[in-house]
Amino acid sequence: MITAKGICKYFRKPDGGLFTALDNVDMTVHSGQLAVIAGENGSGKSLLMRILASLERPSEGTVQTEGDIGLVFQDADSQILADTPLEDVMFGLRSRKDLRKTEMRDAAMKALEKVGLSDCADNPSHLLSGGQKRRLAVASILALGRKIMIFDEPYSNLDFPGVKSVNAIIKDLKDNGYTIIILTHELEKCLALADRFMVLNRGKMVFDGEPSEALSLDLEKWGIRNPGNEISDLVWI
């Protein structure tokens, strides 16, 4: 479970005043839920993600989580630290002092298999497609045993097959009890997967409710394109 209460984040402006990037944000995502948080660029989604994952401290408020959070960043290349997918997943496992190298390799291969990348485990990482790079990030998180994941704009710069491959992984994670947050403005690609729907606008949580309610909201006023379909159609898989 992830619980945030009264989250505020201030930044000092050149004139000495304060800019409020997050303004009294409250949210709870229960274990096993998939929540979609929508918002236009600059709404505070990525900053909230960093605070939830303890990569940045809030100016005010508290965050409680049941276990560490794994992050899948919008820029998938920034998460690749090794020459091959196998080496990349093993890199994260080096923090596990209780594992021998053969055990790390076995754990890495098992994680790559779960995301459909075992066949290219020894291929050059830079030759992976955008969707494969995001799946590699998921494999690294799975290998570390984390049960909470946040995806930041996971469909950015992906073609249709790439979106489908990422959604297939997300659906499998949900079906296996993982707690997932998707930060996106592309609702048509994932809303049908969600248990919860939230909207951030200018640092404020302006909506928190059922995904089906999104279709009746004036999302355009928050800079979000209204998908305008039946909720069951809003997933690319």
Side-chain angles (χ1 to χ4, degrees):
M1 186 171 71
I2 307 172
T3 301
K5 292 186 177 180
I7 298 297
C8 297
K9 185 65 179 183
Y10 311 120
F11 293 100
R12 186 71 61 182
K13 296 190 292 187
D15 63 4
L18 290 178
F19 169 70
T20 303
L22 290 174
D23 188 0
N24 198 34
V25 173
D26 292 336
M27 58 172 285
T28 298
V29 179
H30 295 285
S31 297
Q33 279 192 327
L34 190 156
V36 169
I37 302 180
E40 62 182 336
N41 291 338
S43 62
K45 301 191 306 295
S46 295
L47 177 58
L48 178 61
M49 174 188 75
R50 293 178 63 83
I51 289 174
L52 293 176
S54 300
L55 296 181
E56 188 148 355
R57 294 171 61 91
S59 302
E60 298 177 15
T62 61
V63 174
Q64 293 181 317
T65 66
E66 295 179 351
D68 293 331
I69 295 175
L71 303 180
V72 179
F73 293 105
Q74 179 177 350
D75 180 10
D77 287 293
S78 67
Q79 288 188 263
I80 297 177
L81 304 174
D83 293 334
T84 70
L86 178 59
E87 292 170 347
D88 194 71
V89 179
M90 289 180 66
F91 181 88
L93 286 168
R94 290 175 187 170
S95 61
R96 292 276 307 274
K97 303 300 183 183
D98 59 320
L99 294 179
R100 296 191 297 270
K101 188 172 182 178
T102 54
E103 292 173 320
M104 284 193 291
R105 180 184 175 84
D106 289 344
M109 284 301 299
K110 184 176 181 180
L112 289 170
E113 184 177 358
K114 285 183 178 179
V115 300
L117 292 179
S118 57
D119 289 343
C120 54
D122 296 313
N123 293 354
S125 297
H126 71 275
L127 294 181
L128 297 176
S129 68
Q132 287 174 321
K133 288 174 180 177
R134 285 178 173 82
R135 285 189 279 149
L136 176 55
V138 173
S140 296
I141 295 167
L142 291 174
L144 292 171
R146 297 179 180 176
K147 299 287 288 184
I148 305 172
M149 295 192 196
I150 301 179
F151 292 78
D152 186 14
E153 297 290 358
Y155 313 114
S156 178
N157 301 317
L158 294 186
D159 57 13
F160 181 67
V163 172
K164 288 181 64 177
S165 70
V166 169
N167 272 346
I169 296 298
I170 290 174
K171 184 178 185 303
D172 184 68
L173 292 171
K174 178 186 177 182
D175 291 344
N176 283 279
Y178 285 77
T179 304
I180 300 168
I181 297 176
I182 300 176
L183 310 176
T184 187
H185 62 278
E186 301 180 82
L187 299 182
E188 71 279 2
K189 297 177 180 176
C190 64
L191 194 61
L193 291 171
D195 302 300
R196 295 271 302 292
F197 174 62
M198 292 172 264
V199 178
L200 266 180
N201 181 252
R202 298 182 180 180
K204 292 179 177 288
M205 189 69 76
V206 294
F207 180 81
D208 183 351
E210 295 292 325
S212 58
E213 296 180 73
L215 302 183
S216 62
L217 298 174
D218 180 12
L219 297 174
E220 300 286 344
K221 69 180 179 182
W222 297 317
I224 305 167
R225 185 176 63 203
N226 194 317
N229 294 313
E230 294 293 328
I231 192 70
S232 59
D233 295 333
L234 301 183
V235 62
W236 293 14
I237 198 167

